[in-house]
Amino acid sequence: MNDSQHQAPDPGSDSPAAHGAWDRFCRYLIEEPVLGFRLDVSTMPFRDDDLTRMAGPIHQAMVDMKALEAGEVANPDEGRRVGHYWLRSPELAPQPALIEAIQQTRDRIGVFAQKVHSGEIHPPQDHAPGSDASPPRFRHLLLVGIGGSALGPQLLDDALSAQQSPLTAYYIDNTDPAGIDRTCEQLGDALAETLVLIVSKSGGTKETRNGMLEIRHALTARGLEFGSRAVAVTGEGSALERYARENGFLDIFPMWDWVGGRTSVMSAVGLLPAALQGFDIGALLEGARRMDDLTRTTEVTENPAAMMALMWYLAGNGHGKRDMVILPYRDRLVLLSRYLQQLVMESLGKELDLDGKTVNQGLLVYGNKGSTDQHAYVQQLREGPDSFFATFIEVLRDRDGESLEVEPGITSGDYLLGFLLGTRAALAEKSRGSITITIPEVCELSLGALIALFERAVGLYASLIHINAYHQPGVEAGKKAAADVLEIQTQILELLSNSGVEAITAGEVSARLGLDGEIRTVFHILEHLAANGRIRVIRSGPSTASQYATR
C-alpha cells in the first residue's frame, strides 16, 4: 500500500506524493451534476488490482440487484419481494396493480396533507368553548412507531424542518412510560390540536400498540376524542387496520409487505409525515430516483453504490473487520448515523449465509457529527486501534444568506470545512481510510439521494458476502424472548396472589414455578413490580435476599 494513497497532499506542493494523490482522486471521483453529488474513495486503502480481483463478484451483485428490482422473491421464509426501489420509480414495479397502488397512495398523501393544512380536515370541537366557535386546526403531529417506522420520519424532520412548517412533529418510538409522559407534557393542552399518526405494518408490534393505547388514554383523560384525531399507516387486513376502522380514524394509508421497515421512508411511512410538515416529497423521491439510476450502471468505477460496497468489503476483509464511522459535518444530519445503524446493521448482521453456513456477518455503524466528534472519539480513531473506516459527509452550502466573518475572510462555515479536511488528513497520516460524500446542501433532493445510495450499497454488499439482507430472524428472536419474560411475570403474579404465604424470596418463587434456570429473570421482574408499587418488598439485607408479597 502506497502511503501517498492515505496522505492529504498540500495543494501547493509539487511533490510526487501530492501529484499521485491528486491523480488518484481524479481517477476514482464519481459525480452526478444534477444532484451536485460527489463520491471520493481515494483515501481508502485499496489498489487497482483489488478492483480487478473483485470485478466478478461485484458484477454478480449487480445482477442480483437487477433481479430484486424485477420482482424476484428476496425473503424465501416469508415469500416476500423487496420493492422499495419501486416507490420512487413506480414504472419498474412488476405488476400494473402495484404501479397504480404506488401512484394512488402518493396522490392520496398530497390531498390529505393539503386538507389538513387548509383546515378542511381538523380536530373535533370537543375542547372548544362553544358549539359556534371556529373549528380548530391541527398544529402538531405525533407519530407513534418503532424502528424504521420512526427513524426515517425523524431523519427527514430533523434534516428538513423549518420554523414555518405547518405542523410541528413529536415522536413516541419506545415503550418507555416516562418518555411517553414527557412527550404528553410537552404537548400539554396542544394535544387537542395534535394529529396522531400510528405506524405499524402488522398492528401487532407491542411498542407501537402500547404507545397508541397510552396516547388514547392521555386524550380521553382530557375529555378528548382519539379516533377523530388519528391516522394509521398499516398493512391490509392488519389488527391496526381493523382497530382504525372500528374507532373512526380519519384515514388509513397502506404499508405493503414488500417494503421493509428500514427501507420504508419513501412509502407512506415517511412521505405522509413529510407532506404534513410541508416538505417537498416530490423532490425527495426524485433525488432517490436519480441515485437509483446512477447506481444501476455496470461500470463499477462510475457506480457510487458499487464502489462503496467494495470499499466496505475490502476494508473489512469481507467480514466486517472494520467499523463504519459516519461523520456528517452538519447539525441537520446528526440523525443520519442512527438511521444508518438500523439500515446497515439489521440488513447485514446475519448468523447464516444463503447456504445455511454459519458466518456471523455484520458491519458496525456509529457516529454523531462534525466537528463535535473531534472533541470526542476522533482521538482514538487517529491513535487507537486500526479498526474502522470513516465516511465524511461534506455539505457545500453553509446557510441561507451571507455569513458573518468571525475572523478577517473566515466564516464559521469555513472553520467547519477546515475541521473536516483537517480530520481527514489527520486520519490519513496514520493510514486510516475514509470515504467522502459531498452534497451541495441539505434539502429533499440531496437527502433522497443519500438514503438511496446507502440502501443500494447495502444490497450490493449483502450479495458480496452471500447473505440475505432482507430478513431479520434476530429481531423476531428478541420479540419472542420478551414475550417469554412477560409470561413469567404473569405466573409470578398468580403465584403471589395465591401462595398462601406472607412473603417469598426470588429463589423460592423460581423453585415453585419450576424456573430454577431463570432466577435472575425472576429477581428482575420482582424488583420492577415492587418499584412500581404493584407488589410489596421486604428488605432485610442484600436485595437478593428480599422477600415479596402482594400489597
Side-chain angles (χ1 to χ4, degrees), residues 50-63 300 310 464:
D50 289 324
L51 300 186
T52 302
R53 173 172 57 87
M54 294 298 298
I58 193 62
H59 279 103
Q60 182 58 51
M62 294 177 184
V63 171
V300 175
L310 281 172
L464 288 177

Side-chain angles (χ1 to χ4, degrees), residues 185-393:
E185 289 166 4
Q186 289 171 341
L187 283 163
D189 291 340
L191 268 171
E193 299 174 336
T194 299
L195 182 67
V196 182
L197 178 57
I198 312 296
V199 184
S200 174
K201 183 184 292 186
S202 67
T205 305
K206 301 306 182 184
E207 296 95 333
T208 305
R209 189 278 312 267
N210 295 353
M212 179 181 71
L213 296 178
E214 291 268 11
I215 291 304
R216 185 185 69 178
H217 176 74
L219 285 165
T220 55
R222 290 172 166 81
L224 303 173
E225 297 176 13
F226 171 62
S228 53
R229 289 176 169 83
V231 180
V233 177
T234 190
E236 183 178 0
S238 73
L240 177 56
E241 183 189 49
R242 294 193 298 273
Y243 184 90
R245 295 194 187 283
E246 292 167 0
N247 289 271
F249 277 29
L250 289 167
D251 212 335
I252 303 170
F253 290 85
M255 193 173 182
W256 299 293
D257 65 355
W258 41 266
V259 178
R262 57 190 175 278
T263 55
S264 65
V265 70
M266 305 284 176
S267 72
V269 171
L271 296 185
L272 179 57
L276 288 167
Q277 291 175 86
F279 306 153
D280 186 347
I281 62 174
L284 182 77
L285 292 164
E286 176 64 10
R289 187 193 66 78
R290 285 188 172 276
M291 183 56 69
D292 285 346
D293 287 345
L294 180 62
T295 56
R296 288 190 183 104
T297 179
T298 57
E299 185 60 50
V300 175
T301 56
E302 297 175 8
N303 183 325
M307 287 298 284
M308 279 177 53
L310 281 172
M311 295 304 105
W312 300 355
Y313 186 93
L314 294 170
N317 296 321
H319 212 281
K321 296 298 186 182
R322 281 187 170 83
D323 307 334
M324 178 161 60
V325 184
I326 304 295
L327 297 172
Y329 273 68
R330 291 292 164 182
D331 288 358
R332 285 185 175 271
L333 294 178
V334 67
L335 294 185
L336 183 63
S337 60
R338 283 182 56 194
Y339 179 81
L340 293 178
Q341 276 181 336
Q342 181 181 18
L343 174 65
V344 175
M345 295 175 69
E346 191 170 69
S347 297
L348 302 179
K350 301 293 158 64
E351 180 181 12
L352 305 177
D353 68 8
L354 293 173
D355 299 322
K357 178 183 176 183
T358 300
V359 290
N360 298 117
Q361 278 284 1
L363 179 56
L364 179 62
V365 178
Y366 63 92
N368 184 32
K369 66 179 180 180
S371 62
T372 298
D373 290 328
Q374 290 175 225
H375 299 272
Y377 51 75
V378 168
Q379 166 68 29
Q380 177 169 313
L381 296 186
R382 187 175 189 273
E383 299 186 8
D386 183 11
S387 58
F388 74 95
F389 62 94
T391 300
F392 293 95
I393 314 290

